[in-house]
């Protein structure tokens, strides 16, 4: 199975800060990489698909980059509503594995 | 507005079979990937398996021998059966729909607890 490793596991930043989360795949997954946001007690929400495509209705403050094995999710200006856990997922191979998650909160 | 609703038994005893169903309202069932995902309490997301628009299914290898995903297209419903459950199967279970294999629309989640 493809292993997805996210870093950091958690971070704390101030409102307005630029936040970067990285995701590394154990094998080349091309651009088949998605990012989800999960708020406490809620189902996850798709933010980015195909590494860099913004899902409709998602704020342009979220940006995905990367290909192959290394990917990044950037929040350009952190807002209180962005407090959540973020997961990457590869969909190039089955099983379609998730990273372990990155918990983001406000300092 | 697409809504995915899911339902099923929330409390099981070890060795019983988990059965969950989900349905889409206000949107199409056919032509999408349908996926089951679970999340043990306080932990991350685990992909269980999917069925693609052609009806082919794939599963996480460690669950393959116990899991079945089926579709009732006439009712626009998707089901998950997981046999011989143990405490390790305790989790919130989600079904999700996507035009590709990414997960666009999610059900509300069903907490399934396995306890004697």
């Amino acid at each position: 199975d493809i292993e997805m490793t996210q870093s950091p596991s958690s971070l704390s930043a101030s409102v307005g800060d630029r936040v970067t989360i990285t995701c590394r795949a154990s094998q080349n997954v091309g651009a088949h990489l998605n990012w989800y946001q999960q708020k406490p007690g809620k189902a996850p929400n798709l933010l980015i698909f195909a590494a860099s495509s913004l899902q409709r209705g998602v704020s342009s403050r979220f940006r995905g980059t990367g290909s192959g094995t290394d990917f990044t999710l950037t929040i350009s200006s952190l807002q209180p509503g962005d407090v959540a856990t973020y997961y990457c997922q590869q969909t190039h191979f089955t099983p379609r594995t998730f990273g372990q998650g990155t918990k983001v909160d406000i300092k | 507005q697409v809504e995915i609703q899911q339902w099923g038994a929330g409390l099981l005893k070890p060795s019983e079979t988990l059965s969950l169903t989900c349905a889409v309202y206000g949107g199409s069932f056919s032509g999408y990937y349908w996926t089951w995902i679970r999340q043990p309490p306080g932990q991350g997301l685990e992909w269980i398996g999917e069925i693609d628009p052609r009806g082919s299914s794939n599963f996480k290898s460690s669950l393959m021998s116990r899991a079945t995903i089926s579709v009732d297209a006439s009712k626009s419903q998707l089901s998950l059966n997981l046999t011989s459950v143990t405490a390790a199967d305790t989790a919130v279970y989600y079904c999700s729909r996507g035009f590709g294999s990414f997960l666009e629309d999610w059900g509300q989640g069903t907490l399934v607890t396995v306890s004697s």
Side-chain angles (χ1 to χ4, degrees):
Chain A
D1 296 358
I2 306 300
E3 186 172 349
M4 307 300 293
T5 304
Q6 290 181 232
S7 61
S9 297
S10 64
L11 66 88
S12 186
S14 299
V15 172
D17 281 355
R18 180 185 181 96
V19 168
T20 299
I21 300 168
T22 64
C23 177
R24 174 163 288 178
S26 61
Q27 292 183 39
N28 188 334
V29 297
H32 298 271
L33 191 286
N34 314 306
W35 291 97
Y36 302 87
Q37 175 194 64
Q38 186 179 31
K39 297 183 179 181
K42 300 293 187 182
N45 182 50
L46 178 67
L47 298 176
I48 303 284
F49 63 94
S52 60
S53 296
L54 190 68
Q55 173 68 348
R56 62 185 181 279
V58 173
S59 170
S60 58
R61 293 183 296 101
F62 293 92
R63 181 173 178 239
T65 59
S67 66
T69 60
D70 292 306
F71 301 87
T72 299
L73 175 70
T74 301
I75 308 173
S76 60
S77 175
L78 188 68
Q79 300 301 305
D82 301 334
V83 169
T85 300
Y86 294 83
Y87 294 92
C88 62
Q89 182 206 22
Q90 67 80 21
T91 49
H92 189 55
F93 299 101
T94 57
R96 307 194 193 280
T97 40
F98 291 93
Q100 82 278 15
T102 296
K103 188 173 183 180
V104 174
D105 65 24
I106 301 291
K107 195 182 293 183
Chain B
Q1 179 79 6
V2 172
E3 184 179 358
I4 296 176
Q5 290 187 7
Q6 52 182 104
W7 61 90
L11 181 60
L12 297 173
K13 290 181 167 47
S15 80
E16 291 185 333
T17 294
L18 178 156
S19 292
L20 298 173
T21 302
C22 72
V24 61
Y25 299 95
S28 177
F29 185 85
S30 300
Y32 286 85
Y33 282 75
W34 285 90
T35 303
W36 287 97
I37 305 98
R38 68 182 182 181
Q39 186 170 36
Q43 298 185 38
L45 302 170
E46 179 183 20
W47 188 89
I48 297 172
E50 70 183 12
I51 189 162
D52 71 17
R54 297 165 299 171
S56 297
S57 57
N58 294 291
F59 294 94
K60 180 172 181 172
S61 51
S62 62
L63 297 174
M64 193 180 304
S65 63
R66 298 194 291 129
T68 305
I69 294 176
S70 58
V71 165
D72 185 337
S74 66
K75 295 182 179 179
S76 295
Q77 290 181 357
L78 175 82
S79 295
L80 170 70
N81 279 0
L82 186 66
T83 62
S84 304
V85 297
T86 70
D89 296 310
T90 293
V92 175
Y93 287 73
Y94 294 101
C95 72
S96 180
R97 181 187 82 155
F99 191 69
S101 53
F102 45 85
L103 308 170
E104 295 179 79
D105 302 301
W106 293 67
Q108 78 277 19
T110 302
L111 175 61
V112 176
T113 303
V114 180
S115 174
S116 55

